[in-house]
Amino acid sequence: MTSSSQHSPGEPLVPNVKQALTRTERELLLQIIPDRIPAHVAIIMDGNGRWARRQGFIDRIRGHEAGSQSVREAVGTASELGMKTLTLYAFSTENWQRPAAEIKALMLLLEKFLREKIGELNENNVRLIASGRISDLGPKVVRVLNHAIDATSANTGLTLNLALSYSWRAELTDAARRIAAEARNGTLDPDAITEADISARMYHAELDDPDLLIRTSGEMRISNFLLWQIAYTEIYVTPVLWPDFRRRHFYEAALDYQKRERRFGKETRR
Ligand code: FPP
C-alpha cells in the first residue's frame, strides 16, 4: 500500500491543528511533509506499569489511567495530521492473565473512555471500530462499545481501531476456522486459496496494512500484534513510556518514518 493523507501536497499542516502548540511542537510539525504522512499507524502502548512505579505509585492502575490521557491525545494528533487509521493495542488476549483487579480497572477505563469520549470523537469526525475477540469483554463492555461504534459510524475522518482481547494468533486461528468452514461447505476451494483470501478473513479486512508501527517503552518486541498486516510496516521504537507519550513524540515518529525508504522487497534505488 502507499502512504497518503487527506492533505494536498504543499498545503501547510499547522492550520489543521486546533490546539495551541508549544514552540517545539510547532518546529516539529513544520518539518512534517504533508503528503508523506503514514496513512495507518498502529501503536503498542507499553510502559504504563513502569510509569506508575517510577512516579512512586504502588498501584499500576495509575499508569493505565495516565495512559488513557495519552490515548486521547494520540487520537487527536492522528486526526489533525490527517491519518486515515490509528490502531491501538489496548488489551491483548494474554492480558486476561493479569490480576483480576487490574483487568477490572482496565475494563472500567475502557468503558469510561467509550462513554465520555463519543462527543469528542464525533467533533473530530473519528469513526470507532474494534478488532479482537470482542465477546470476551463481557456483555456490559460490549454494549457500551457497540453504542460508541454505532454513534460514530457515519464519521469520515480518522478510523480509530481499538484492538481489544486481540492477539495475532487468535486472529489467525479465527481466520483459519472460517476458511476451514468455507472449505467444508464447498464455498472455498482449498487448492485455490490465495493470500487475498486469507487477508479477507482478518477482523477488519477493509483496512490497509499499517505504514508505521510505534512501540513505546523501548521493548524490541511485536507481542503477538498484527503479524500478517505488518509484513512491510516501518517499525519505530521509542523509550518514552506510554503515559508520557505526547503530541511531540507522535510528530517525532512521523518524521522518522518520513526518512525511511520503503521498498516492499523490490529493487533498491541506487
Ligand atoms: C501496557 O502497559 C498497557 C496495557 C496492557 C493496557 C493499555 C491500556 C491503556 C493505555 C488505557 C486504557 C485504554 C483505552 C483505549 C482507554 P504495561 O502495564 O504492560 O506496562 P509495563 O510493561 O511497564 O508493566
Side-chain angles (χ1 to χ4, degrees):
M1 62 171 285
T2 54
S3 292
S4 65
S5 81
Q6 293 156 2
H7 301 272
S8 331
E11 181 191 345
L13 275 168
V14 177
N16 297 305
V17 176
K18 292 174 190 157
Q19 179 137 341
L21 298 178
T22 64
R23 194 174 161 175
T24 312
E25 287 168 346
R26 180 167 280 267
E27 278 168 11
L28 288 167
L29 186 59
L30 285 168
Q31 292 172 54
I32 296 177
I33 304 163
D35 56 338
R36 289 199 57 208
I37 285 173
H40 182 173
V41 175
I43 308 185
I44 301 175
M45 308 182 288
D46 195 17
N48 294 355
R50 272 162 288 170
W51 183 91
R53 213 170 38 244
R54 282 182 204 171
Q55 301 291 316
F57 296 123
I58 298 161
D59 196 347
R60 43 189 292 115
I61 291 163
R62 298 295 289 270
H64 297 315
E65 284 167 2
S68 291
Q69 278 307 314
S70 302
V71 167
R72 189 172 164 237
E73 188 162 329
V75 173
T77 307
S79 193
E80 288 164 358
L81 287 177
M83 288 171 183
K84 205 169 147 196
T85 311
L86 178 68
T87 296
L88 299 179
Y89 205 1
F91 194 88
S92 71
T93 52
E94 289 80 11
N95 288 155
W96 291 114
Q97 288 158 43
R98 293 198 176 199
E102 186 177 349
I103 294 172
K104 191 169 172 211
L106 277 166
M107 291 302 135
L108 284 172
L109 274 176
L110 175 64
E111 248 191 89
K112 188 171 148 64
F113 177 87
L114 295 170
R115 282 186 203 280
E116 292 177 1
K117 300 294 174 231
I118 292 180
E120 198 169 305
L121 295 177
N122 280 332
E123 269 166 38
N124 290 314
N125 198 19
V126 178
R127 181 176 74 108
L128 178 73
I129 59 171
S131 295
R133 290 184 169 167
I134 301 304
S135 60
D136 291 355
L137 302 171
K140 195 162 160 241
V141 180
V142 171
R143 211 174 317 117
V144 180
L145 177 65
N146 283 338
H147 174 68
I149 289 173
D150 287 348
T152 61
S153 62
N155 293 334
T156 54
L158 177 77
T159 295
L160 171 61
N161 178 26
L162 290 183
L164 293 166
S165 195
Y166 176 89
S167 76
W168 153 245
R169 288 183 181 176
E171 183 171 30
L172 177 62
T173 305
D174 292 349
R177 285 181 185 153
R178 287 175 65 188
I179 289 169
E182 289 171 50
R184 190 176 48 215
N185 69 28
T187 53
L188 192 65
D189 174 2
D191 294 325
I193 291 172
T194 62
E195 288 187 10
D197 290 325
I198 297 174
S199 287
R201 282 149 187 91
M202 296 295 136
Y203 292 136
H204 275 286
E206 77 283 8
L207 300 179
D208 289 332
D209 290 344
D211 297 292
L212 174 65
L213 171 68
I214 299 173
R215 180 167 190 143
T216 59
S217 93
E219 308 287 350
M220 298 288 184
R221 279 194 292 276
I222 298 299
S223 300
N224 213 350
F225 193 42
L226 303 175
L227 280 157
W228 176 268
Q229 297 88 340
I230 62 166
Y232 282 101
T233 298
E234 298 296 323
I235 298 177
Y236 178 84
V237 177
T238 170
V240 175
L241 304 177
W242 179 250
D244 290 328
F245 191 84
R246 300 271 72 91
R247 168 185 307 271
R248 153 171 89 87
H249 302 113
F250 209 160
Y251 290 164
E252 283 166 357
L255 280 167
D256 193 88
Y257 167 84
Q258 294 193 337
K259 289 191 211 123
R260 315 277 180 97
E261 189 196 343
R262 301 188 74 191
R263 292 196 296 272
F264 300 93
K266 295 174 202 149
E267 66 182 277
T268 55
R269 275 200 276 123
R270 283 217 186 116

